[in-house]
């Protein structure tokens, strides 16, 4: 991880220095290339070049069903270093590195599993932007766009889809609307057949809408993921947001097909038996901003069907709680949040899975989140 961070920052710094360092600063260095001291001095003097933040969330998480306690833990839910900045007008970068996840290299992406973002963005005029590198996969919905530190009990699909991949995104902005087209690797075994995993690609489209001066916002997406030489899996995602004064609500819906090891959630197949499944999820999220206090309420429904056998199961849930920002107005601490959430889910089986018993699960999450600037 240290090597990744150092290499990335040095790359960014040298490009920027070549483009921006004044002659008076360059002349102070005896070599033809900017030295380490020059780089550090320039970073300190030019705040727009680099912003470094630490994103943290620490929780007590309890998960209980009728028969047993599934979890009773103090958890480091989020621990990330975030670095972003503007190298020169029209050229930006972002790096987000998880410190509580192993840095296993993903074979095809050739990027670390703990690296969420490592990309450069280039503006071509006022309307076009190109993003290159490891980035967010542009599924629609507002749930999928949230920072994971702001999601408590997600829909089944939010947890299961790969969120980050190496690729290219092209966006076009017009009249407050942003239209995105993206090409990334179609990952295996989630989408690509194992014998086609080194050459399958995915194409996605996303409309980020802004209507009536922000009263209505949209995140509508379409994705096609290559499975093999002749087969693609489709994903359709709709996100609608309504903002009225201090009240905000999101209505999200996903539907799509992929492959998965069903034994991991329904233990009636052999382990490693990949099945083709169709996933759906819908959620309604409501939040009211009372300043330091922000009550939230959310309902979710998720459904998964095994397309080979017809067996399926659904998870229906509700959650509510309170977020508290005790230091609103303090530049250093205004993003420090305390939260307390209770959630309830019911899991029900049907079709070939109807012999399995439905069950209820209760969740208790109490914790603190703090996103603060280091540099």
């Amino acid at each position: 991880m240290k090597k990744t961070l150092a290499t990335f920052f040095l790359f960014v710094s040298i490009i920027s220095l070549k483009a921006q360092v004044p002659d008076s600063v360059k002349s102070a260095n005896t070599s033809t290339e900017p030295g380490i001291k020059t780089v550090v001095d320039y970073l300190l003097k030019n705040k727009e070049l680099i912003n470094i933040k630490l994103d943290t969330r620490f929780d007590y998480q309890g998960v209980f069903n009728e028969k047993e306690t599934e979890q009773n833990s103090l958890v480091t839910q989020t621990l990330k270093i975030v670095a972003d900045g503007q190298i020169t007008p029209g050229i930006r970068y972002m790096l987000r590195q998880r410190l509580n996840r192993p840095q296993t290299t993903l074979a095809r992406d050739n990027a670390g599993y703990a690296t969420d973002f490592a990309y450069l963005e280039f503006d071509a005029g006022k309307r076009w932007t190109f993003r290159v590198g490891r980035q967010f996969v542009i599924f629609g919905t507002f749930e999928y766009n949230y920072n994971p530190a702001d999601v408590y009990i997600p829909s089944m699909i939010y947890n299961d889809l790969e969120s980050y991949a190496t690729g290219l995104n092209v966006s076009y902005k017009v009249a407050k609307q942003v239209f995105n087209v993206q090409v990334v690797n179609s990952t295996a075994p989630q989408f690509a057949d194992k014998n086609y995993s080194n050459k399958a690609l995915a194409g996605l489209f996303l409309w980020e809408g802004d209507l009536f001066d922000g009263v209505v916002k949209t995140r509508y997406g379409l994705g096609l993921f290559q499975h093999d030489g002749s087969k693609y899996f489709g994903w359709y995602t709709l996100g609608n947001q309504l903002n009225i004064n201090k009240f905000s609500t999101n209505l999200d819906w996903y539907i799509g097909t992929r492959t998965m090891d069903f034994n991991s959630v329904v233990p009636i197949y052999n382990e490693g038996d990949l099945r083709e499944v169709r996933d759906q999820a819908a959620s309604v999220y409501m939040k009211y901003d009372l300043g330091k206090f922000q009550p939230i309420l959310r309902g979710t429904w998720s459904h998964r069907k095994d397309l080979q056998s017809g067996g399926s199961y659904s998870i229906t849930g509700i959650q509510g709680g309170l977020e508290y920002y005790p230091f609103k107005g303090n530049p250093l601490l205004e993003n420090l949040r305390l939260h307390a959430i209770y959630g309830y889910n019911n899991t029900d089986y049907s079709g070939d899975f109807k012999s399995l018993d439905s069950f209820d699960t209760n969740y208790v999450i109490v914790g603190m989140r703090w996103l603060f600037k280091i540099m």
Side-chain angles (χ1 to χ4, degrees), residues 147-159:
N147 188 314
D150 294 324
V151 178
Y152 300 108
I153 308 170
S155 69
M156 176 174 60
I157 293 176
Y158 179 92
N159 270 337

Side-chain angles (χ1 to χ4, degrees), residues 62-282:
V63 183
F64 314 95
N65 62 39
E66 308 101 328
K67 298 179 181 179
E68 63 178 351
T69 298
E70 296 182 22
Q71 183 177 355
N72 187 40
S73 305
L74 299 172
V75 179
T76 302
Q77 195 274 349
T78 298
L79 186 59
K80 303 175 188 174
I81 288 286
V82 183
D84 59 17
Q86 178 176 270
I87 299 171
T88 193
I91 303 178
R92 298 171 299 280
Y93 69 92
M94 186 170 187
L95 174 69
R96 192 167 83 187
Q97 186 79 11
R98 298 182 186 229
L99 304 180
N100 58 340
R101 177 177 287 184
Q103 182 69 4
T104 305
T105 299
L106 300 170
R108 190 177 179 201
D109 273 17
N110 198 28
Y113 187 63
T115 304
D116 290 346
F117 299 136
Y119 64 75
L120 290 171
E121 276 190 343
F122 306 87
D123 292 335
K126 295 181 179 180
R127 300 194 185 278
W128 293 94
T129 298
F130 298 83
R131 179 184 301 155
V132 183
R134 186 161 172 81
Q135 57 192 275
F136 187 79
V137 179
I138 57 170
F139 290 103
T141 77
F142 283 89
E143 178 192 38
Y144 216 78
N145 193 47
Y146 282 136
N147 188 314
D150 294 324
V151 178
Y152 300 108
I153 308 170
S155 69
M156 176 174 60
I157 293 176
Y158 179 92
N159 270 337
D160 286 355
L161 291 177
E162 290 287 345
S163 303
Y164 313 102
T166 300
L168 168 67
N169 188 91
V170 180
S171 64
Y172 179 77
K173 307 175 186 68
V174 59
K176 295 186 179 180
Q177 317 306 307
V178 182
F179 300 95
N180 299 272
V181 176
Q182 184 183 67
V183 177
V184 295
N185 291 327
S186 184
T187 55
Q190 180 174 231
F191 296 116
D193 181 84
K194 64 179 180 179
N195 297 318
Y196 208 81
S197 60
N198 66 337
K199 48 190 173 183
L201 295 174
L204 298 98
F205 169 81
L206 176 67
W207 169 40
E208 299 175 278
D210 187 327
L211 308 172
F212 311 112
D213 292 326
V215 173
V216 176
K217 294 187 177 182
T218 66
R219 286 182 57 84
Y220 290 5
L222 168 65
L224 291 176
F225 295 83
Q226 194 171 17
H227 179 67
D228 55 29
S230 60
K231 185 175 182 178
Y232 289 79
F233 291 139
W235 274 83
Y236 311 91
T237 49
L238 301 176
N240 299 277
Q241 184 180 82
L242 177 65
N243 301 291
I244 302 175
N245 296 325
K246 296 182 179 181
F247 175 76
S248 176
T249 183
N250 301 334
L251 176 61
D252 292 328
W253 178 69
Y254 310 76
I255 185 169
T257 307
R258 66 189 189 93
T259 57
M260 66 168 291
D261 179 1
F262 227 132
N263 182 74
S264 62
V265 290
V266 181
I268 65 174
Y269 299 121
N270 294 324
E271 186 173 354
D273 182 10
L274 294 178
R275 316 284 290 188
E276 190 171 314
V277 302
R278 176 166 295 128
D279 285 347
Q280 285 193 73

